[in-house]
Amino acid sequence: MATPTDNRLRRRAQAFLRRTGRGYAGTHDRPLRGYLAAMAAFGAYTAGWAAAVRLRGRPLPERPEPRDVLLTSVATFRLSRLLSKASVTSPLRAPFTTYVGPQGPAELHEEARPGTGKDTVGELVTCPFCVSVWVASTLTAGQLLWPRATRTAMGALAALAGADALQLAYGALVGRTTDG
């Protein structure tokens, strides 16, 4: 049962958060509570992976191997764009976004839907930079728990990124030779 002191502290904390939000956002709509929830979720997600690694008793490497950093970077880039922009993954984003139109080869422009929590999740799932934090953490944990399977999957994602670059280069080359 909450005491009068507890209620008073809760009301003061809520008032402080409202003032802080208004002072920060000004005339803009910034879902700070949603961002705070997303940060807490990421912290819990990362702690869960860390606990799984610890329970498995896997030793942490002295330092990351440069080739693993490069492979993780390329795989993170490709998987982040696949999750946040690809047409084929739009059903995953649809509950939190609104379709605006195409954006580049095989990619979509979507906007976050307004609403409790949907705006924050919508911003997260349409932002490849935001998604990449989650993807890099997942791939890193995967390398610690299932190194062979994770490296195989990352190799496939890196090959896909290379194929994408070649498709774009080929399209630009064809465009140059047929337009000129």
Side-chain angles (χ1 to χ4, degrees):
M1 178 180 263
T3 66
T5 302
D6 292 338
N7 289 334
R8 202 173 19 235
L9 287 174
R10 183 172 40 85
R11 282 193 306 273
R12 282 186 174 173
Q14 288 172 338
F16 171 77
L17 291 173
R18 276 192 301 275
R19 279 192 316 274
T20 301
R22 280 193 306 267
Y24 171 77
T27 60
H28 303 282
D29 184 23
R30 303 304 307 149
L32 291 182
R33 286 183 181 169
Y35 294 154
L36 189 57
M39 289 187 328
F42 181 76
Y45 181 72
T46 304
W49 277 119
V53 169
R54 186 173 177 96
L55 287 172
R56 291 274 311 263
R58 302 292 295 216
L60 293 177
E62 185 75 23
R63 67 180 87 45
E65 293 290 328
R67 63 188 165 100
D68 283 338
V69 173
L70 179 61
L71 184 60
T72 303
S73 298
V74 175
T76 297
F77 161 78
R78 189 61 202 109
L79 186 54
S80 297
R81 293 215 61 96
L82 183 67
L83 292 171
S84 64
K85 295 292 182 187
S87 300
V88 72
T89 56
S90 61
L92 302 175
R93 298 183 305 273
F96 311 102
T97 62
T98 302
Y99 173 78
V100 176
Q103 176 184 313
E107 290 191 345
L108 302 178
H109 175 66
E110 298 163 323
E111 291 182 354
R113 283 189 190 186
T116 309
K118 287 188 178 188
D119 46 1
T120 302
V121 176
E123 281 189 42
L124 173 68
V125 300
T126 59
C127 171
F129 298 98
C130 304
V131 172
S132 70
V133 174
W134 294 75
V135 169
S137 298
T138 303
L139 293 176
T140 300
Q143 288 179 74
L144 295 171
L145 293 170
W146 311 284
R148 290 177 68 189
T150 303
R151 282 190 185 94
T152 300
M154 290 192 314
L157 288 164
L160 182 57
D164 290 347
L166 290 171
Q167 294 286 0
L168 293 170
Y170 178 79
L173 184 61
V174 167
R176 244 191 226 166
T177 58
T178 57
D179 291 340

